[in-house]
Amino acid sequence: DVQLQASGGGSVQNGGSLRLSCVAHGFRVDDSTLGWFRQAPGKEREGVSCLTISDGYTYYSDSVKGRFTISSDSAKNTVYLLMNNLKPEDTAVYYCALVHEISDSYCGMDFSGEGTLVTVSS
């Protein structure tokens, strides 16, 4: 049974940091492309960052480049998203997902787990 368990959300002030974690169950992250997506109130879900673990290929949306870093830990079968210099516009529910397509300009979600809420106050 494939599951993705995201955690690490919370409330921070403008400029703060958070690290999201996503534990995969039922498959090995080493064999996958995984990513983080977010949905803010009243907006569509968007791709934030994705990673093909086998070769380290990454995608970052323009809005988070230089601030967010995606990484993985094979021993823990986990993918992380380190978010630095958070801004109020980063406020959203963040979802960890399996990815069906990744390129320099696009990351497409296939299957996601439950989200974790990130709130950034000004």
Side-chain angles (χ1 to χ4, degrees):
D1 190 21
V2 173
Q3 293 185 25
L4 295 163
Q5 185 175 9
S7 62
S11 296
V12 297
Q13 292 190 330
N14 189 22
S17 298
L18 283 173
R19 189 180 76 159
L20 305 183
S21 300
C22 174
V23 181
H25 301 277
F27 68 99
R28 296 293 309 167
V29 298
D30 287 354
D31 302 326
S32 307
T33 299
L34 291 165
W36 291 93
F37 297 77
R38 68 185 181 187
Q39 188 164 19
K43 295 187 177 181
E44 293 186 357
R45 192 174 297 190
E46 63 169 340
V48 174
S49 180
C50 298
L51 169 68
T52 298
I53 286 81
S54 61
D55 63 9
Y57 188 84
T58 57
Y59 161 84
Y60 291 96
S61 68
D62 288 341
S63 60
V64 307
K65 280 180 183 176
R67 300 188 297 125
F68 290 12
T69 303
I70 191 168
S71 63
S72 65
D73 185 333
S74 298
K76 296 181 178 180
N77 215 35
T78 299
V79 174
Y80 301 98
L81 184 69
L82 176 62
M83 306 184 293
N84 292 323
N85 192 21
L86 281 161
K87 305 175 181 180
E89 52 264 41
D90 294 317
T91 295
V93 177
Y94 284 71
Y95 300 86
C96 175
L98 278 165
V99 168
H100 66 83
E101 182 179 348
I102 183 173
S103 70
D104 288 344
S105 59
Y106 176 74
C107 179
M109 183 176 71
D110 186 7
F111 166 82
S112 73
E114 297 293 323
T116 184
L117 176 62
V118 172
T119 304
V120 185
S121 57
S122 58

